[in-house]
Amino acid sequence: MTETTTIPAEAIASADPNAADHERAGLCQFVIFHSAGEMFAVPLEQVKEIIRVPDVVRMPLSPPALMGLANLRGTVLPVLDLRHLFGLPPVLSDDASRVVVLDHGHPVGLMVDRVANVVTVERERLEPVTQIQATIDTELLTGMIKEEDGRGIVMVLDVSKSIGRTFAAQDAALCLADVAGPTALTLEDDAADGAADEDQLVSFEVDGQEYAFPIGEVQEIVQLPAAITQVPGTRGHVLGVTTLRNRLLPLVSLRTMFGMPVEAFTDANKVVVVSLPGERDGEALSVGVVMDKVKAVLRVERALVEPVPAALHSQDGHSDIRAICRLDEGRRLVSVLSADAMFDVDELRALRATQGDAGAAADGAAEGDATMSDATTEDAQYVIFRLMGEEYGVPVEAVQEIVRVPDQLTHVPGTPDFVEGVINLRGTVLPVIDQRRRFDLEEAARSDRQRIMVFTIHGQHVGFIVDSVSEVGRIPEATISAAPDLSGSRAKVVRGVANLTAQNRMIQLLDVDCLIEPAADALLPPHQPALAA
């Protein structure tokens, strides 16, 4: 006799209090659901819960069956599409669609068209799959449940085999780290020696002009907070103080400091958190400088950096600008700012001391607006960029520089289709990869927001075109979990997932060394000096 009990999907529990009694009575319980007109089942003890279809973040280089990653109460949940697993026609999810969360050693979600009910079945009514092996791939099934009317059949899924076989095909590829040898280490050492004659800068724009700070002085870049506590009696360029990770941060406007027209703040405004000399209560002093927008991370030859002309110094011999970079054969000038000369350390220290209570009161509001919240000084710093609306992060030390996409690239015959071409980057031939094509994403037209992020992958400089670079910030280590291992070796490119629940953000952290595969690496244009124009 088959007993059928209909239970609302959201009410299904992960443990059945009567499971022991059912086992002794020779009964089995299953969750029944529909997909593409067929009925499937999984044992109830494998079901943790059933939820509505959540928003997902797509993983790069993953099979179509992996819809993406979702946030399940602070846990990263991989979500699979049952239709793709079985090669059934795809369909858009609707109000009836559900995700069955299964225990696969770790939670795994399975999207189905709709959940029907929970059934309790006598063990002897489970039919073997041998009689249908000729027409159906029974490797993914553990049995069948025949309806009492003799017309319906419910197929019992072997979840482990369904997942394992689908993603096993991805295991053939290797990342560059698997084949790198001593030569790669030697090349990296050579590259490091060459970097000694270069300066790395983070550049920004204010009123159409480009400025920069040395990257060593930039702690992080965050969004302009909504809550700023104004301080009476301060100079006009001081916007006030805010709280950033339980410490008070003075905010200043570079526009006002340099006498530029005042404009209303927008989402494009960023706060560059700059280190200053001196400490207070053992804590390094810093100040937030409000800029119009982020420009790029630059690696500049020191020969192109010139001291500021004496005529630009103030009467006391100091200047807010320490140097000027001549880029693009002098057509682009970047003013390198001097934080030491710009700010009165004693004034900022006094500002923080007198505003302790006000800053603590604003802590809750301002903390929610920080780009990367709840970090500590040990938290790693990442450059965050976007592709098709998804956010990705790479360690800031892995980024050599960030440059604009030139109007034209030189295409090289015989290279993989994701290689856009090569450019002349300060006398060096730089291969450029379209990251959308590399991740099998929909292509997009060129735009002013796109950037080339330059990495060194085992000794070779490679540029990757991304939709935009949004920020530089610290990600709390506690928010990072290992990437799901469902998508095989190709997805080693994602080494972790930062689940920032308070900000409703999920950032996939990439392993730069695995952005290109060995076979593709061999087809890249050789790394060599470019001919002089």
Side-chain angles (χ1 to χ4, degrees), residues 217 224 299 462:
E217 297 180 4
L224 182 68
R299 187 177 291 274
V462 184

Side-chain angles (χ1 to χ4, degrees), residues 6 94 200 307 335 337 449:
T6 302
D94 55 27
Q200 201 164 3
S335 301
L337 301 177
R449 295 182 59 83

Side-chain angles (χ1 to χ4, degrees), residues 265-524:
F265 293 130
T266 68
D267 291 340
N269 287 106
K270 295 291 186 293
V271 177
V272 184
V273 183
V274 181
S275 300
L276 296 175
E279 295 184 351
R280 175 178 176 265
D281 297 331
E283 180 182 343
L285 186 64
S286 55
V287 60
V289 186
V290 180
M291 305 287 192
D292 289 358
K293 63 181 180 180
V294 177
K295 287 280 288 185
V297 177
L298 306 173
R299 187 177 291 274
V300 180
E301 295 180 13
R302 289 182 179 170
L304 301 178
V305 181
E306 298 180 358
V308 175
L312 297 181
H313 290 180
S314 58
Q315 292 182 351
D316 58 5
H318 294 288
S319 172
D320 293 340
I321 299 175
R322 72 173 70 184
I324 295 179
C325 297
R326 296 179 292 103
L327 305 180
D328 298 342
E329 298 181 350
R331 293 187 297 271
R332 176 185 174 191
L333 300 180
V334 180
S335 301
V336 183
L337 301 177
S338 172
D340 295 354
M342 290 171 61
F343 305 110
D344 186 327
V345 175
D346 292 334
E347 178 186 24
L348 294 175
R349 186 180 291 115
L351 181 64
R352 294 203 319 176
T354 58
Q355 292 300 313
D357 294 337
D363 180 62
E367 190 68 19
D369 291 311
T371 303
M372 305 295 178
S373 62
D374 301 328
T376 67
T377 54
E378 289 77 22
D379 295 329
Q381 199 170 8
Y382 292 86
V383 179
I384 310 301
F385 64 91
R386 288 181 175 270
L387 285 172
M388 281 193 68
E390 308 291 4
E391 290 187 295
Y392 300 87
V394 292
V396 68
E397 61 271 15
V399 182
Q400 297 300 308
E401 57 186 300
I402 302 173
V403 298
R404 291 182 175 274
V405 181
D407 294 334
Q408 290 185 339
L409 290 87
T410 301
H411 296 277
V412 180
T415 55
D417 60 354
F418 55 76
V419 177
E420 184 72 9
V422 295
I423 63 173
N424 182 347
L425 185 63
R426 295 190 306 280
T428 298
V429 174
L430 179 75
V432 177
I433 290 174
D434 188 314
Q435 193 62 28
R436 279 188 174 235
R437 285 195 221 128
R438 174 69 186 97
F439 281 174
D440 296 328
L441 302 176
E442 179 183 340
E443 295 192 32
R446 292 283 173 257
S447 72
D448 291 339
R449 295 182 59 83
Q450 289 179 320
R451 293 292 185 271
I452 296 177
M453 300 183 69
V454 181
F455 305 114
T456 300
I457 301 180
H458 295 286
Q460 178 166 351
H461 293 329
V462 184
F464 293 83
I465 300 176
V466 301
D467 291 356
S468 64
V469 176
S470 55
E471 63 196 83
V472 178
R474 300 185 184 274
I475 295 182
E477 188 67 29
T479 67
I480 300 175
S481 58
D485 59 359
L486 297 178
S487 51
S489 297
R490 289 182 71 196
K492 286 181 181 178
V493 66
V494 180
R495 66 172 185 83
V497 180
N499 192 8
L500 307 179
T501 55
Q503 303 170 32
N504 194 29
R505 299 171 68 187
M506 191 173 290
I507 302 173
Q508 300 180 64
L509 307 179
L510 304 182
D511 186 338
V512 171
D513 288 341
C514 295
L515 282 176
I516 53 178
E517 300 170 5
D521 180 46
L523 294 174
L524 291 179

Side-chain angles (χ1 to χ4, degrees), residues 10 12 18 26 35 66 83 90 121 123 129 154 156 163-164 182 205-206 230 375 401 430 440 449 456 463:
E10 286 75 7
I12 294 180
N18 300 317
S35 188
L66 181 59
R83 284 178 171 258
V121 181
R123 192 177 298 277
V129 296
V154 180
V156 182
I163 295 173
E205 186 174 297
V206 178
Q230 296 183 346
E401 57 186 300
L430 179 75
D440 296 328
R449 295 182 59 83
T456 300

Side-chain angles (χ1 to χ4, degrees), residues 242-284:
T242 187
T243 305
L244 181 64
R245 284 184 286 286
N246 299 319
R247 60 185 174 89
L248 285 175
L249 179 71
L251 292 179
V252 300
S253 167
L254 195 67
R255 273 183 168 268
T256 306
M257 178 178 287
F258 285 179
M260 299 173 180
V262 177
E263 292 187 354
F265 293 130
T266 68
D267 291 340
N269 287 106
K270 295 291 186 293
V271 177
V272 184
V273 183
V274 181
S275 300
L276 296 175
E279 295 184 351
R280 175 178 176 265
D281 297 331
E283 180 182 343

